[in-house]
Amino acid sequence: MMHLYDKTQAYLKAQDMLGLKTLLIEADMDALLVLIQELTSEERVIVFRLLDKDRALMLFEQLDVEQAQDLLAAFTHEQATAIFAALDPDERARLLDEMPAAIAKRLVAALPPQEREQVNLLLGYGPETAGRIMTPKYIRLTQNMTVGQALDKVRTQAASPETLHTLYVTDAGRRLVGWLPLQALILNPTSTTIAELMDRDVAWVTTDTDQEEAAQRLHHRDLLSLAVVDQGQRLVGVITVDDAMEIMEEEVTEDFFDKAALVSIGPHDSSSYRLVNGALWHIWPMRLPFLLITLVGGLLAGTVIGVFEETLHGIPMLAIFIPVVMDMGGNAGTQSTTIFARALALGHINMRHFGAHLLREMGVGVTMGVAVGLLAGLIGAIWQGVPALGLVIGLSLTLTLTLATTLGFLIPYLLTRVGLDPAAGADPIITTIKDITGLLIYFALAYYLLGPMFL
């Protein structure tokens, strides 16, 4: 049975646009999204032009920034303007961030005045803030309204389904004072006032709140939307659960990139696209820097081995366990940095009480080091028939794992305190320190505990 991609290629090759249009109409959205990822830029343009407006818009909103920009650039001005105008304001702002200035200016200029004002409002807030990702389309009620008046406003001013479920209440000065679910209007008499029904325990963030913090707050409160206010506590927009999920997905992607030692040079959806489809001079700056840091660390570790060359020459069995000491320390350090990065992203680490978290992680490192050290030391002693060698291996692994887990929390914390990404540079730094100190510990113990026997 032919897949959608194969059928699409067959229609394109035969230049049967009518048959292709029928095929696309019958395909479900999930299949279309997979198809779009597999097509070339030129083929994507053809497919989008054959889709009806609603399906084209739904599909367009799920593309990453780079692919969306490619499509807009390939469309005629009228087609690009129609797609751009149909997007939500926050989606427009996301695209405009990375779009060439000339194209962005033309698209914004083609919007109706009110829509243009909304986009400019969002672009006025800093990157990666709640103000930049919020949507100004929401339902705002006032305290003195009745349920009947509120229902009339909902009917005539409903912004979109994703913001309709939660209605926000303000005072006469637009200051946020409460909220209520849409069902509260449906279930209560029309003469009841909003002030009687609203819940004053309303969750909110300010426009300059970091987008990740805003997404975490929405997630922790288990909300469908989150109010965004300005410095005067005036309601200016809302963040929807869909927006929050995108932010959390971006942060997870960023952590994966950073853990893989890939340098960010823009939004990670664009970075991912460049890594797969970009030119060599785009890929090198993203992958090479941390590899160079690791190279320097490896050379320094080699220097340590050179210093103890005489010890290694006199006790050649030590060479067998060098990879064990280095790899176990590296694994433990990576575990700790991953745990720290994820806990920090989810708000599970209280930075004001970091000392308690660090002591706990050190305790974990000691217990794991003792367990692994006993096992590896026993294996080494029996294998080589030298009990003292088992002691060296056991002590080395205990100290190395303790140090690695401690660094796995401490280095990301220090990077965070100086304003740097705790995930991006942590692993190369930890690997370098751990390799050097691990080898120093191993050879120093071997020199003092085994030296008198062999040297």
Side-chain angles (χ1 to χ4, degrees), residues 87-322:
L87 296 173
D88 287 334
D90 54 328
E91 289 293 329
R92 294 181 197 142
R94 182 174 71 97
L95 272 177
L96 291 173
D97 269 338
E98 298 297 315
M99 194 174 288
I103 298 177
K105 187 176 180 179
R106 286 200 302 270
L107 289 173
V108 173
L111 293 172
Q114 185 178 359
E115 299 287 329
R116 194 184 315 142
E117 183 180 344
Q118 290 177 341
V119 172
N120 290 331
L121 171 69
L122 297 184
L123 292 175
Y125 298 112
E128 298 190 357
T129 62
R132 184 64 72 89
I133 65 169
M134 71 181 184
T135 176
K137 293 185 176 182
Y138 57 91
I139 300 294
R140 180 179 68 88
L141 307 177
T142 57
Q143 300 178 81
N144 57 355
M145 276 185 175
T146 64
V147 167
Q149 292 171 328
L151 283 171
D152 288 339
K153 185 169 186 178
V154 169
R155 293 188 188 101
T156 59
Q157 198 178 321
S160 66
E162 63 178 353
T163 60
L164 191 59
H165 44 69
T166 303
L167 310 174
Y168 292 97
V169 186
T170 66
D171 61 16
R174 292 183 64 97
R175 287 181 291 271
L176 182 65
V177 294
W179 73 281
L180 72 160
L182 178 62
Q183 65 184 29
L185 299 183
I186 300 172
L187 299 176
N188 285 278
T190 56
S191 60
T192 307
T193 63
I194 297 301
E196 297 176 66
L197 299 178
M198 71 179 188
D199 187 343
R200 295 185 181 274
D201 181 22
V202 56
W204 54 271
V205 292
T206 59
T207 53
D208 58 359
T209 300
D210 182 80
Q211 63 176 14
E212 184 180 358
E213 181 183 340
Q216 289 174 359
R217 189 168 303 180
L218 188 147
H219 172 70
H220 290 159
R221 292 287 295 266
D222 196 22
L223 302 171
L224 294 176
S225 65
L226 181 68
V228 182
V229 300
D230 61 15
Q231 297 303 321
Q233 198 63 21
R234 291 179 290 270
L235 182 65
V236 293
V238 298
I239 297 173
T240 65
V241 67
D242 291 341
D243 296 328
M245 289 175 64
E246 285 185 16
I247 297 304
M248 297 302 288
E249 182 179 345
E250 287 176 9
E251 294 300 328
V252 170
T253 302
E254 183 175 338
D255 287 343
F256 273 119
F257 270 49
D258 294 334
K259 295 299 290 180
L262 296 170
V263 178
S264 172
I265 56 173
H268 276 287
D269 51 3
S270 295
S271 297
S272 177
Y273 185 85
R274 291 184 184 126
L275 280 169
V276 176
N277 300 292
L280 189 61
W281 52 86
H282 287 150
I283 296 173
W284 274 29
M286 300 173 68
R287 302 187 63 169
L288 197 57
F290 286 134
L291 294 179
L292 296 178
I293 294 176
T294 306
L295 172 63
V296 172
L299 293 174
L300 291 174
T303 302
V304 172
I305 295 176
V307 170
F308 288 93
E309 183 178 1
E310 183 179 344
T311 303
L312 191 59
H313 181 73
I315 318 174
M317 67 184 72
L318 289 175
I320 299 174
F321 299 96
I322 290 177

Side-chain angles (χ1 to χ4, degrees), residues 28-96:
D28 60 49
M29 287 303 299
D30 289 338
L32 282 175
L33 182 59
V34 173
L35 172 66
I36 287 298
Q37 306 297 330
E38 296 175 334
L39 296 176
T40 65
S41 297
E42 294 77 12
E43 292 168 345
R44 288 190 193 115
V45 173
I46 296 173
V47 167
F48 265 87
R49 287 173 176 167
L50 293 175
L51 291 170
D52 64 77
K53 183 178 177 180
D54 291 339
R55 284 164 70 84
L57 179 61
M58 290 174 62
L59 201 57
F60 187 86
E61 289 177 337
Q62 298 184 61
L63 299 179
D64 64 39
V65 173
E66 194 98 7
Q67 293 171 335
Q69 289 174 354
D70 287 346
L71 274 173
L72 287 177
F75 285 155
T76 65
H77 178 67
E78 291 74 18
Q79 291 170 325
T81 301
I83 286 285
F84 189 73
L87 296 173
D88 287 334
D90 54 328
E91 289 293 329
R92 294 181 197 142
R94 182 174 71 97
L95 272 177
L96 291 173

Side-chain angles (χ1 to χ4, degrees), residues 412-433:
Y413 169 76
L414 294 176
L415 291 174
T416 302
R417 298 298 293 180
V418 299
L420 299 176
D421 186 345
D427 274 358
I429 294 172
I430 292 170
T431 298
T432 299
I433 297 175

